[in-house]
Amino acid sequence: MDYEYDPVPLPYRQALSDAESLQRAENFYRHIRTRHSVRHFTDRPVDRAVIEACLLAAGTAPSGANHQPWHFACVSSSAKKREIREAAEAEEREFYAGKAGDEWLSDLKKMGTDAQKPFLETAPWLIAIFAERYGFDDAGERRKNYYMPESVGIATGFLIAALHEAGLATLTHTPNPMKFLNEILGRPTNERPYILLVVGHPSEDAMIPGAATVKKPLEQIASFIE
Ligand SMILES: Cc1cc2nc3c(=O)[nH]c(=O)nc-3n(C[C@H](O)[C@H](O)[C@H](O)COP(=O)(O)O)c2cc1C
């Protein structure tokens, strides 16, 4: 199905002074730098409305040709969470037993992670993010997607930032491989599991790896050609 170019005025623009821009940018940095991947959650429930608002934010992300090649399967069912934990731990046992290879396992030592994933049952929500290899148009015809991993990565970033803004903790989890998520969650074969996002409140005694607090300085991550 073809869509014609149909321009509409930019619906919103911000008229900020340079000083306001800087202040906003610095405030955002101060806030986002408090985010960390959490592996110790409480079972305190989180309203579905909060999750929905954060997903709406994620859904505003840019994507190749605006095809929005993502699906967020949100799980709060204890039975489904248990199934996911069992399947993920089975994968992770093989991974940590050597499938990952020496270099990867050595790199992971500083993270203190192992094959046990109790948070997959404790946390109130698991958001399984799927990337659409291809989609379907309004007529049900197969439609190509462009820059699918990039697009889903950006939407996932929006989602993590929105959840952090809502006061929630997340873990970007990637049991390897994740095909079991299609089966457990009944997702179609055109969708590839991308990330399993664990969402909830951190436990009182939540710890994080010290290594995770070390972020590269600006000089190492950016160059300016002026
Ligand atoms: C694509 C991706 C996959 C990840 N997979 C896992 C994972 O399977 N298990 C885990 O404990 N952490 C995982 N992490 C979290 C990283 O270990 C974490 O982001 C990193 O150590 C930096 O810590 P921070 O998120 O607290 O800044 C993953 C992160 C990303 C971006």
Side-chain angles (χ1 to χ4, degrees):
M1 194 175 288
D2 285 333
Y3 294 95
E4 296 301 321
Y5 178 54
D6 175 23
V8 296
L10 179 68
Y12 179 72
R13 69 181 70 225
Q14 306 189 72
L16 297 184
S17 68
D18 292 351
E20 286 168 329
S21 284
L22 180 59
Q23 196 177 33
R24 293 264 202 110
E26 288 176 343
N27 284 347
F28 183 74
Y29 168 52
R30 263 193 292 278
H31 181 57
I32 204 70
R33 77 179 176 190
T34 62
R35 180 214 57 84
H36 273 294
S37 293
V38 165
R39 297 171 184 83
H40 308 104
F41 287 85
T42 68
D43 58 2
R44 179 178 156 195
V46 170
D47 278 352
R48 177 170 152 171
V50 178
I51 302 297
E52 287 181 355
C54 294
L55 291 169
L56 285 170
T60 67
S63 62
N66 196 30
H67 282 194
Q68 305 163 56
W70 42 68
H71 179 85
F72 303 95
C74 306
V75 184
S76 64
S77 145
S78 302
K80 284 288 174 195
K81 284 194 289 181
R82 171 160 308 156
E83 265 189 80
I84 291 172
R85 177 183 177 182
E86 282 167 7
E89 286 186 339
E91 296 289 2
E92 296 284 77
R93 276 193 293 273
E94 284 188 37
F95 179 88
Y96 283 95
K99 199 171 135 196
D102 290 346
E103 188 177 356
W104 197 345
L105 289 175
S106 156
D107 277 342
L108 280 178
K109 268 199 189 127
K110 58 182 181 298
M111 293 296 134
T113 52
D114 59 28
Q116 300 295 317
K117 307 293 171 191
F119 49 76
L120 291 175
E121 279 191 84
T122 323
W125 289 97
L126 303 179
I127 305 181
I129 304 171
F130 289 87
E132 273 185 358
R133 271 189 278 262
Y134 55 89
F136 298 95
D137 66 16
D138 292 345
E141 296 292 319
R142 198 163 153 154
R143 185 175 75 159
K144 210 167 154 9
N145 283 335
Y146 310 98
Y147 299 108
M148 175 269 271
E150 293 84 349
S151 303
V152 183
I154 295 170
T156 301
F158 276 33
L159 179 58
I160 292 171
L163 290 163
H164 182 65
E165 178 70 18
L168 297 174
T170 56
L171 174 66
T172 310
H173 188 33
T174 44
N176 191 358
M178 286 190 280
K179 196 92 194 89
F180 63 85
L181 287 172
N182 286 73
E183 285 141 41
I184 295 176
L185 301 174
R187 298 309 307 166
T189 51
N190 66 315
E191 292 179 6
R192 176 168 76 73
Y194 184 77
I195 276 169
L196 180 59
L197 203 63
V198 185
V199 181
H201 292 280
S203 61
E204 281 294 326
D205 55 357
M207 304 288 279
I208 60 162
T213 64
V214 183
K215 300 299 182 190
K216 291 181 181 174
L218 188 60
E219 317 80 79
Q220 275 181 34
I221 63 167
S223 54
F224 292 84
I225 300 90
E226 292 179 302

